[in-house]
Amino acid sequence: MGLFDRFKKKKEEPAAPHKNAESDIKAALDAEKARMEAQTAQQPAPEPAPEPAPAPAVSETPPQAEAAPVQPQAARPEPAPQPEPQPEPEHAGKVGFFGRLKSRLTRTHENLSGKMDDLVENYADLDDDFFEEMTDILIMADVGMKTADEAVGRLREKCAADKAMTPARARKELAEILIDIMGSEPMILASPMVLFVIGVNGVGKTTSIGKLAARLKTVGRRVIICAGDTFRAAAADQLTIWAERAGVPIVKQKEGADPAAVVFDGIQAARQRGADVLIVDTAGRLHNKAHLMEELKKMARVISREFPEAKTRSLLVIDATTGQNGLAQAAVFKDVADLEGIILTKLDGTAKGGIAIAIRSELGLPVRYIGVGEQIDDLQPFDAREFIEAII
């Protein structure tokens, strides 16, 4: 046997034992696998894993998280009624129209009431200086010299009769004197009635007519508006807008038509519809324009001829911001028209609301309605006590 053959034989001999080792390893692996399978089979315990079915119980907490947002929502609406600080309307119902709208009369209130506060604080005695300063305060509020002198003169007499009178009490007495000067005559509305609304241009005639119509409608009156101002461009169109806001019918013709003819149509409509009040708009006229004043008389003649059963009255619209000029207008219109009273507009825009007192005192004309804003319900019957208490 050669060297190569001996080496080959020697190399092949260990192959048998390697084979045996492989089979031993395989057997050991199989045994280990069998043991692990047996352990796995023995481990049915993992099936309690469904027991984490209490997990649904955990998932029940999320609904609480969802419910939580509901709680804050319920809490929010309650603070939201913050608009409840609106007890002003409620307070208003108790103290009346001027009490509710006192904030709109701040200019006149500050002009009169503020200065009266200073007067009462600065004087301990009711001497001549006290009464003179009080008179000046009234004049500066456009009460007028004649009315201021009358009111303070009456107050002097009261103070002379009551030695215990103090400046604070004197102020209250002055308010009562002014309320007495203004009086409180309610406006009697007959049915049927024709109301002429007159005044110079720019005082707020058109808006006052719309607000007055709405006011009368709310108290159960059947109202028709007659667009008798055919002189001013687009006057009828503007009045139509206010008639629609008030929810009342309007009778009109084209621009430039004869106002007396429009009034005639208005009378026919009032008769057919059984209207209680026919409100007639008139051209804004200056008191010194004779032809316009004559036109007013012509319309009045048509009414007396065609509607004799109706009471005819005129309401003069005055802009409170014009002060003593408004008083002069009222004096002239009073001579040419049967004035039932005054509609005083724009009181919220002036510090001189005392003109209402002057008109009543010097001309004997009652203020029937006052306007303190642009809303449809901002025209209200005038109440002397509420007015005086609001500004003094």
Side-chain angles (χ1 to χ4, degrees), residues 128-141:
D128 287 342
D129 289 342
F130 174 85
F131 291 114
E132 285 176 16
E133 190 168 332
M134 180 177 277
T135 304
D136 290 342
I137 291 171
L138 292 175
I139 291 172
M140 285 188 287

Side-chain angles (χ1 to χ4, degrees), residues 30 32 35 61 65 150-151 174 200 215 283 304 311 335:
D30 289 342
E32 181 65 19
R35 188 178 66 79
T61 42
E150 178 192 344
L174 174 67
V200 301
R215 171 94 196 154
S304 62
K311 297 281 185 186
D335 292 338

